[in-house]
Amino acid sequence: MGITDIKRVLRLYFIQQLAQDELVRSGNMLNPDFDYIQNSEGIGLLADSYREALRNENSQGLDRAIEVAEAFDRSTDVDSSDFKRFYREFIKIEIELLGVLLKRECSDYSEEVKYLYGDETGLSDPAFGSYEADSQPLETLSLITHAITVADKQAASGRAGGVARRQEAELVYEPFDACVLEMSKEGPGHTDSHIARTCYKRSNIDRSERTLRARVNKIRMS
């Protein structure tokens, strides 16, 4: 699988995840019982962890990359050069995806048109057709509708969308966060590094020390 093919597959995945996230958000609209909790911090920390993976400091998102590769009928042999290239490009697209989701947390959709209509997004893929500046409104609508339809089918088949993955990532931190809060109350003089190391051992969380120190600092400052 060439790098161009990998990028096109992952760009399709990117569009599908954005559509899935919007499906979840639209489902909560006008629901008086829905209690919105902003997750900017969690998104930022997850993006930092992916950046560490690019430097080969961890294997963040490996299981998810395997799921995506399977969904697109790609190799999942983690020892193969093909999958290693796929995984690296997957990390890059996840960082880009999280950047868009971070803006959505602030209700900023000002730049999203480029993800749907720009040629650089890979929408010339046969799954979408191609967008031209003089396309009719119905043709434009069909592109968006297709992306949402695909994302909806993915959700129905049990594949986690962007929101579900972020929630899952946050659940991993729950024991660690509880430990941080407890230690902060017991000894306000503890350093972030000391708390990070201690809570790492207690919660056995698989994250780099730098990521955990950053999380400790944000929890203590909040």
Side-chain angles (χ1 to χ4, degrees), residues 11-20 22 96 100 104 109-125 127-133 135 139-149 151:
R11 185 56 60 174
L12 178 58
Y13 162 79
F14 174 84
I15 295 295
Q16 290 172 351
Q17 292 305 297
L18 289 181
Q20 176 61 45
E22 276 300 287
E96 185 177 353
V100 178
R104 286 183 174 183
Y109 289 75
S110 59
E111 298 182 1
E112 290 205 17
V113 65
K114 69 183 181 183
Y115 298 118
L116 292 176
Y117 305 145
D119 289 338
E120 72 277 6
T121 65
L123 285 181
S124 56
D125 189 288
F128 285 103
S130 60
Y131 174 79
E132 300 294 342
S135 292
E139 292 175 327
T140 301
L141 179 61
S142 69
L143 299 178
I144 303 172
T145 301
H146 179 79
I148 293 175
T149 300

Side-chain angles (χ1 to χ4, degrees), residues 104-193:
R104 286 183 174 183
E105 289 294 293
C106 301
S107 300
D108 181 0
Y109 289 75
S110 59
E111 298 182 1
E112 290 205 17
V113 65
K114 69 183 181 183
Y115 298 118
L116 292 176
Y117 305 145
D119 289 338
E120 72 277 6
T121 65
L123 285 181
S124 56
D125 189 288
F128 285 103
S130 60
Y131 174 79
E132 300 294 342
D134 58 353
S135 292
Q136 296 299 315
L138 286 179
E139 292 175 327
T140 301
L141 179 61
S142 69
L143 299 178
I144 303 172
T145 301
H146 179 79
I148 293 175
T149 300
V150 172
D152 204 13
K153 288 180 179 178
Q154 286 186 325
S157 66
R159 287 194 289 270
V163 172
R165 288 187 292 109
R166 296 201 306 275
Q167 292 174 339
E168 182 180 352
E170 282 300 293
L171 287 175
V172 171
Y173 281 109
E174 282 190 352
F176 179 83
D177 292 351
C179 176
V180 172
L181 291 172
E182 182 180 352
M183 288 193 67
S184 298
K185 291 178 182 178
E186 291 176 352
H190 289 320
T191 65
D192 291 349
S193 294

Side-chain angles (χ1 to χ4, degrees), residues 11 13-15 17-18 21 25 39-53 60-61 64 90-106 108 112 115 161-167 169-170:
R11 185 56 60 174
Y13 162 79
F14 174 84
I15 295 295
Q17 292 305 297
L18 289 181
D21 182 68
R25 292 173 187 270
N39 194 34
S40 298
E41 180 181 338
I43 295 173
L45 288 170
L46 184 56
D48 285 343
S49 188
Y50 274 120
R51 293 187 185 97
E52 290 175 2
Q60 176 68 45
R64 179 60 180 166
F90 171 80
I91 293 172
K92 294 177 186 178
I93 208 72
E94 282 289 272
I95 292 172
E96 185 177 353
L97 176 62
L98 290 169
V100 178
L101 296 180
L102 189 60
K103 288 185 176 182
R104 286 183 174 183
E105 289 294 293
C106 301
D108 181 0
E112 290 205 17
Y115 298 118
V163 172
R165 288 187 292 109
R166 296 201 306 275
Q167 292 174 339
E170 282 300 293

Side-chain angles (χ1 to χ4, degrees), residues 1-10:
M1 176 167 51
I3 192 66
T4 300
D5 187 32
I6 291 173
K7 286 180 176 292
R8 290 171 70 84
V9 164
L10 289 174

